[in-house]
Amino acid sequence: MAPKVLMVAEKPSIALSIASALSHGRMSTRRGSTDVHEFDGMFQGFHAHFKVTSVAGHVFSLDFPSTYQNWEATDNLDLFQAPVVKLESNPKGHICRHLSQEARGCSYLVLWLDCDREGENICYEVIECTGFNENEVGRKILRARFSSVTEKDILEALENLVKPNKAEALAVDARQEIDLKVGVAFTRFQTRYFQGKYGNLDSRIISYGPCQTPTLGFCVQRYMQIMTFKPEKFWYFSPYIIKDGYELQLEWDRNRLFDFDVAAMFQKLVLDQNILEVTGVSKNEENKSRPCGLNTVNLLKVASSALALGPHVAMQLAERLYTQGFISYPRTESTAYPASFDFRNVLGAQQNNPIWGNHIRSLLTDGFHKPRMGSDAGDHPPITPMRAATEEMLGNDAWRLYQYICQHFIGTVSPDCKYTRTKVEFTSGGELFHCVGLHVSTKGFTSIMPWLAVKEKNLPQFTKGEKINIIKMDLQEGSTAPPDYLSESELISLMEKHGIGTDASIPVHINNICERNYVQVNSGRRLVPTALGTTLIRGYQSIDADLCLPDIRSFIEHQITMVAKGKADHSHVVQHVLQQFTQKFSYFVKKIENMDALFEAQFSTLAESGRLLSKCGKCTRYMKFISTQPARLYCTSCEEVYYLPQNGSIKLYKEFACPLDGFELVLFSMSGSDGKSFPLCPYCYNSPPFEGITTLFGSIKLGNSGKLGKGAGMPCFLCPHPTCRHSMITQGVCACPECSGTLILDPISAPKWRLYCNICNCMVSLPQGAHRISTTSNRCPDCDSLIIEVDFNKKTTPLSDGATLYSGCILCDELLHSLIEMKHGKSFFRRGRGRGRSRGRGGRGRARGGSKNDDPKMSFRDF
DNA sequence: GCAAGGTC
């Protein structure tokens, strides 16, 4: 039987290209969450059955085991030595199961992952899923090395299969572990340290990472340059002349001087002569080169600076253009095209375009140029248009991006721009001046990329030795100006230069520092650090500047490169690097007060922020509500913080106090149009979590955290405390006979139901043995109190008519009619007793000593 | 909840 060969690519599109190339398009495809292409062919001299499928990037990602997931219970220092686990990145995708199933019965596994370190690492993830073993006899693991997915390259790679490179894969394992441990330890520590400490500080997450922090560092560095910039005055002069009717302003060779007296002296020397002599006329043929192929980083820079599209958005658009087949794969480092690239084909697809069709047709007939030699990173070809599109097909932003990709591509195969530079030099009073003229002879690629055009500047004819009068020459004053905030495009260049992030992750890091509120994108896509951003970086600088310098990334890269080259052992390197970071971490923890001093100067203390909202149950003074994330209440006199549910609004709830602790209740309304509201006690909400609670509304299970919101089994209307009564404080029942306070149902006493008064705290017993008691919206016609409904369990009730639900008015001392009567809409009040007849009865004494009589036909007072 | 790296 023909041996089976399983081939795995990094993404579905590559699997398709490989299968198409090897089967010459004669394959069958099994569709599924991941497609499998099958065909028969020759493999290593044998007839074989091929199956080609793919993963979608990394199959696994690294994390801490669950025992290290609790922020409170974990010592951050322990994280550095903690075990790590590989978990499926996308468990719902079942990639591992898919690979394992497809590998069954296969004798060969051929790995077509991208040819970089990450790809090598994914090779071993695939090997693990398939169950292949490197030392197994009879089953072979092979690695295809290819730099593009053209048919030629694929066939060549198949003929030259190698072994996967374990060292490179281990280098990625090392990076993953270092990044995880360092990032998580610092992030958890500083988040916890600053969380809730200051009023106007958004401290949901104060993250640290070896890529994101230096990225922020670049923005803050520029900010500091601007803030500390001291302008300097300078002086300059430029003679005006008239020649052949042209008025010309000459440039001074000294450009400018920072000393007024010296500048004035030179000016006087020139003015004394007031005549210029032409000392030289030179002409140079110059060349402006057409661009290399377009890679991701350059696309992102143009998108940000010229199209006003942020890197994150630009990549989303590019991704869509790619999946729709308009452009080639948009994540690439390479600016060089593979030798076999079919430029004619790409140009042909664009020749009917109304904007650049003419240019293309002339390139196709007159011959086009090969693009300038760029660099080949061995990943994917430069970003290239694949098929024609119109603005209507793509939508405005995607169209602008696509248009640029087309223009850039056409530029790469167009002629260079050629122009003549004429420089005329002058002298007067010993000072030198010049002017420059530019004349374009061949527009070349600049006709398709007009923003790069050389600006023509005509000069009149000058001859050496010619003398010309100066018309005007004033001494001008200027002042040096600070640089502008760092533009996104400059940031991308800096990140690329320092090896911070990759083509795919650079947009993610920039997005991160925006989302975490460390920088803001201003007009012209310039990045302005926030108070939090600058304080963080200044804080690192005050403790250990290494933490925010780009070298921190290059240090890690350098270390893992040793692993990749097989010069150092993986675990030794990881241990060595982690040991250094452990020391840095310990020192950071020890010196965190240095950073805190900066926070203190920058942010307001809790006592200074917020507005008075509700009363503290301990000291009865008003607490301050601090609305900045995380929302919380702060008691200035007790110096206690009470966190509130996030992502919603908070207001005082009817001035009710929690019967357990005396804290005034607040009403939380979830954000969104149909956001639910519920009252809660700030103290109980911050009490230890519990499993759930039984209320009049039924059993409510809370999420693992015991907090409200996500993970809770149902929308929760109470605070997560086991003995809290607020769930029932949804409406007052009636006036307290003692003090006119509001009587409120007290579910905690069930089945010994009681009412309690929210002011004098007196208790009134309700029928014992009731299964459920609740308030209704009906009111007593005598005293206007709310009617109570009492539900008896049949087992516990002595009723003969089988009815179990009773209603009544507590104040009028009535326990009345059955459910059956209510259902039929009959009046269920026994008339005859006067309004407020029972007022003054009941109260504290009675509440304590309830009757043992279970007959619901008796009045409330008899219980 | 936290990093950075793949890809969707």
Side-chain angles (χ1 to χ4, degrees):
Chain A
M1 203 173 85
K4 285 184 183 167
V5 182
L6 177 64
M7 298 186 162
V8 183
E10 190 153 325
K11 45 187 164 279
S13 60
I14 298 215
L16 178 62
S17 304
I18 294 165
S20 309
L22 296 181
S23 69
H24 306 287
R26 287 191 290 274
M27 71 224 182
S28 65
T29 298
R30 255 191 292 130
R31 304 271 173 210
S33 56
T34 314
D35 289 352
V36 183
H37 312 287
E38 294 189 72
F39 55 92
D40 294 317
M42 295 298 284
F43 181 70
Q44 308 212 326
F46 301 98
H47 282 284
H49 181 72
F50 291 89
K51 292 200 277 187
V52 189
T53 187
S54 74
V55 292
H58 278 286
V59 184
F60 300 108
S61 68
L62 206 65
D63 205 347
F64 290 109
S66 56
T67 43
Y68 289 83
Q69 297 292 359
N70 186 322
W71 288 39
E72 311 306 327
T74 309
D75 183 345
N76 291 321
L77 201 59
D78 290 346
L79 291 172
F80 289 95
Q81 294 307 319
V84 284
V85 284
K86 279 193 170 189
L87 301 172
E88 256 195 281
S89 301
N90 174 16
K92 285 183 188 162
H94 300 295
I95 303 285
C96 194
R97 188 180 71 190
H98 166 72
L99 292 174
S100 143
Q101 285 169 352
E102 295 302 330
R104 249 179 253 154
C106 289
S107 324
Y108 293 90
L109 173 64
V110 185
L111 301 155
W112 290 85
L113 285 305
D114 291 357
C115 294
D116 53 18
R117 271 186 208 164
E118 296 295 331
E120 221 58 37
N121 187 269
I122 303 174
C123 281
Y124 284 87
E125 295 183 347
V126 171
I127 293 170
E128 189 178 329
C129 295
T130 53
F132 269 71
N133 186 324
E134 280 186 283
N135 305 316
E136 204 174 345
V137 185
R139 288 178 103 196
K140 256 187 157 173
I141 302 170
L142 294 161
R143 169 77 159 119
R145 295 223 152 260
F146 56 107
S147 57
S148 75
V149 281
T150 56
E151 190 172 318
K152 181 171 165 280
D153 278 31
I154 289 168
L155 292 171
E156 216 172 272
L158 191 66
E159 291 302 309
N160 298 289
L161 293 173
V162 293
K163 293 209 161 211
N165 187 329
K166 184 75 181 170
E168 291 208 333
L170 281 172
V172 172
D173 280 346
R175 180 196 51 73
Q176 288 178 345
E177 188 170 342
I178 295 163
D179 284 346
L180 175 75
K181 292 186 167 177
V182 173
V184 172
F186 275 89
T187 300
R188 285 189 189 176
F189 169 68
Q190 61 185 29
T191 301
R192 270 289 176 267
Y193 186 86
F194 290 110
Q195 207 162 47
K197 215 170 171 196
Y198 298 97
N200 52 348
L201 169 68
D202 176 355
S203 57
R204 282 166 295 178
I205 286 289
I206 303 181
S207 56
Y208 175 85
C211 284
Q212 57 171 269
T213 304
T215 303
L216 171 63
F218 290 128
C219 304
V220 175
Q221 187 187 28
R222 176 65 67 84
Y223 173 85
M224 297 293 189
Q225 274 175 18
I226 298 168
M227 289 303 138
T228 55
F229 188 84
K230 291 204 173 55
E232 267 186 283
K233 281 189 177 172
F234 60 79
W235 291 269
Y236 63 99
F237 52 86
S238 44
Y240 281 84
I241 57 169
I242 292 183
K243 167 82 181 178
D244 302 342
Y246 283 99
E247 185 180 300
L248 275 178
Q249 186 182 8
L250 306 185
E251 284 180 50
W252 189 18
D253 279 18
R254 291 187 201 271
N255 190 20
R256 60 189 186 182
L257 288 175
F258 289 89
D259 188 311
F260 174 80
D261 293 333
V262 179
M265 180 199 76
F266 282 127
Q267 185 206 19
K268 187 170 180 301
L269 287 175
V270 176
L271 280 180
D272 282 351
Q273 280 206 339
N274 212 32
I275 205 156
L276 289 155
E277 185 185 336
V278 178
T279 54
V281 179
S282 58
K283 283 194 180 207
N284 272 320
E285 297 301 320
E286 296 192 357
N287 192 59
K288 190 169 183 177
S289 301
R290 60 192 184 277
C292 301
L294 181 63
N295 67 7
T296 309
V297 161
N298 288 320
L299 177 68
L300 294 179
K301 286 200 272 190
V302 171
S304 174
S305 60
L307 307 177
L309 297 170
H312 195 68
V313 170
M315 279 318 286
Q316 284 174 339
L317 293 170
E319 184 72 42
R320 214 181 72 211
L321 289 172
Y322 161 67
T323 50
Q324 293 174 342
F326 292 109
I327 61 168
S328 65
Y329 191 65
R331 283 185 282 265
T332 178
E333 265 184 69
S334 300
T335 54
Y337 282 95
S340 54
F341 195 87
D342 189 349
F343 296 100
R344 186 165 285 277
N345 194 22
V346 176
L347 284 171
Q350 297 290 337
Q351 61 184 325
N352 293 322
N353 184 288
I355 306 168
W356 50 78
N358 281 338
H359 187 94
I360 302 241
R361 284 192 293 276
S362 64
L363 281 175
L364 285 171
T365 44
D366 305 344
F368 55 87
H369 292 63
K370 283 241 159 174
R372 200 153 55 87
M373 196 57 192
S375 74
D376 182 1
D379 49 357
H380 300 86
I383 306 165
T384 313
M386 300 299 283
R387 67 184 174 99
T390 61
E391 183 168 359
E392 291 69 44
M393 292 160 84
L394 305 182
N396 182 264
D397 285 346
W399 166 250
R400 290 190 301 134
L401 196 70
Y402 172 81
Q403 196 175 6
Y404 176 75
I405 293 168
C406 291
Q407 285 169 307
H408 187 107
F409 173 76
I410 301 162
T412 62
V413 291
S414 297
D416 288 351
C417 168
K418 290 195 163 61
Y419 58 96
T420 314
R421 175 194 295 269
T422 309
K423 187 175 181 187
V424 186
E425 289 167 302
F426 305 85
T427 181
S428 175
E431 286 305 285
L432 303 176
F433 304 90
H434 64 268
C435 62
V436 170
L438 296 168
H439 175 69
V440 177
S441 50
T442 312
K443 277 189 170 181
F445 74 97
T446 63
S447 57
I448 198 78
M449 302 172 87
W451 58 92
L452 295 176
V454 172
K455 206 176 166 199
E456 293 246 1
K457 195 181 168 200
N458 290 326
L459 280 189
Q461 284 289 330
F462 288 98
T463 40
K464 195 175 171 185
E466 190 180 343
K467 301 240 163 77
I468 300 159
N469 283 327
I470 294 174
I471 307 291
K472 187 175 75 172
M473 193 183 74
D474 296 329
L475 190 64
Q476 313 239 14
E477 186 183 291
S479 176
T480 56
D484 205 340
Y485 290 111
L486 196 68
S487 73
E488 206 168 34
S489 165
E490 288 171 312
L491 177 62
I492 295 168
S493 301
L494 284 168
M495 292 174 77
E496 190 192 22
K497 182 180 157 198
H498 289 91
I500 308 286
T502 63
D503 45 21
S505 70
I506 282 175
V508 179
H509 299 312
I510 298 179
N511 203 43
N512 264 343
I513 61 170
C514 294
E515 283 200 334
R516 299 269 157 81
N517 194 23
Y518 306 151
V519 298
Q520 276 185 338
V521 183
N522 269 21
S523 63
R525 297 212 67 87
R526 290 189 180 270
L527 302 167
V528 184
T530 61
L532 175 56
T534 50
T535 313
L536 275 173
I537 294 298
R538 288 175 56 211
Y540 297 128
Q541 285 168 347
S542 73
I543 299 173
D544 178 356
D546 286 354
L547 291 174
C548 59
L549 290 175
D551 312 25
I552 204 120
R553 189 79 207 151
S554 24
F555 166 70
I556 297 174
E557 284 296 325
H558 180 254
Q559 296 290 315
I560 64 162
T561 300
M562 309 275 276
V563 179
K565 288 183 176 166
K567 289 184 183 166
D569 175 69
H570 157 263
S571 53
H572 282 166
V573 167
V574 172
Q575 283 313 309
H576 169 71
V577 175
L578 286 179
Q579 194 200 347
Q580 303 209 21
F581 274 104
T582 310
Q583 280 178 10
K584 282 191 175 297
F585 180 74
S586 303
Y587 188 73
F588 182 70
V589 171
K590 201 170 122 195
K591 294 281 182 184
I592 189 67
E593 281 173 8
N594 292 9
M595 194 186 242
D596 195 31
L598 299 170
F599 270 79
E600 223 172 86
Q602 183 64 244
F603 298 102
S604 54
T605 58
L606 293 183
E608 294 161 357
S609 31
R611 62 182 167 86
L612 299 176
L613 182 79
S614 66
K615 280 183 187 165
C616 167
K618 290 184 186 168
C619 68
T620 69
R621 291 191 178 88
Y622 274 100
M623 299 188 291
K624 284 184 156 183
F625 171 57
I626 296 155
S627 56
T628 346
Q629 299 272 10
R632 67 218 112 126
L633 286 164
Y634 177 66
C635 178
T636 323
S637 60
C638 306
E639 297 187 350
E640 292 276 3
V641 175
Y642 302 98
Y643 288 97
L644 297 167
Q646 306 299 313
N647 302 320
S649 65
I650 294 281
K651 57 185 180 188
L652 193 61
Y653 185 67
K654 298 182 182 173
E655 295 180 29
F656 281 156
C658 172
L660 286 181
D661 47 52
F663 276 71
E664 270 185 338
L665 304 187
V666 292
L667 184 75
F668 172 74
S669 306
M670 295 174 181
S671 47
S673 53
D674 56 344
K676 293 208 164 77
S677 300
F678 54 87
L680 62 93
C681 161
Y683 186 82
C684 297
Y685 184 69
N686 284 271
S687 302
F690 70 105
E691 290 287 317
I693 188 169
T694 302
T695 75
L696 289 190
F697 300 123
S699 178
I700 292 178
K701 281 251 175 195
L702 295 176
N704 293 336
S705 64
K707 296 277 169 72
L708 305 171
K710 248 190 182 174
M714 60 176 283
C716 187
F717 296 89
L718 66 161
C719 80
H721 194 280
T723 53
C724 181
R725 286 177 259 217
H726 330 138
S727 59
M728 285 307 96
I729 307 177
T730 49
Q731 49 192 323
V733 175
C734 54
C736 169
E738 298 272 309
C739 70
S740 305
T742 309
L743 285 177
I744 289 161
L745 270 172
D746 172 19
I748 301 307
S749 55
K752 288 188 174 180
W753 295 99
R754 293 176 298 186
L755 291 168
Y756 85 95
C757 169
N758 73 324
I759 293 184
C760 67
N761 272 336
C762 75
M763 297 284 185
V764 177
S765 284
L766 288 170
Q768 285 184 43
H771 165 65
R772 183 175 66 93
I773 290 184
S774 56
T775 55
T776 68
S777 54
N778 298 315
R779 288 186 179 271
C780 171
D782 287 334
C783 70
D784 206 36
S785 287
L786 284 162
I787 299 295
I788 278 188
E789 228 170 60
V790 186
D791 188 0
F792 282 95
N793 217 318
K794 268 189 180 175
K795 281 179 192 165
T796 58
T797 176
L799 294 180
S800 53
D801 60 4
T804 59
L805 193 66
Y806 287 77
S807 310
C809 170
I810 177 66
L811 207 59
C812 295
D813 209 10
E814 298 284 354
L815 178 62
L816 302 163
H817 299 252
S818 73
L819 173 67
I820 301 153
E821 281 178 322
M822 284 172 66
K823 274 192 171 170
H824 285 76
K826 292 177 188 167
S827 162
F828 49 85
F829 288 102
R830 199 169 62 205
R831 297 269 175 190
R833 298 209 176 173
R835 179 184 294 262
R837 183 180 168 275
S838 317
R839 225 176 257 280
R841 294 178 59 193
R844 202 167 308 190
R846 182 173 295 271
R848 300 270 181 261
S851 159
K852 288 191 170 61
N853 193 333
D854 279 1
D855 184 359
K857 283 184 175 169
M858 300 174 77
S859 83
F860 280 135
R861 299 293 177 222
D862 295 324
F863 287 104

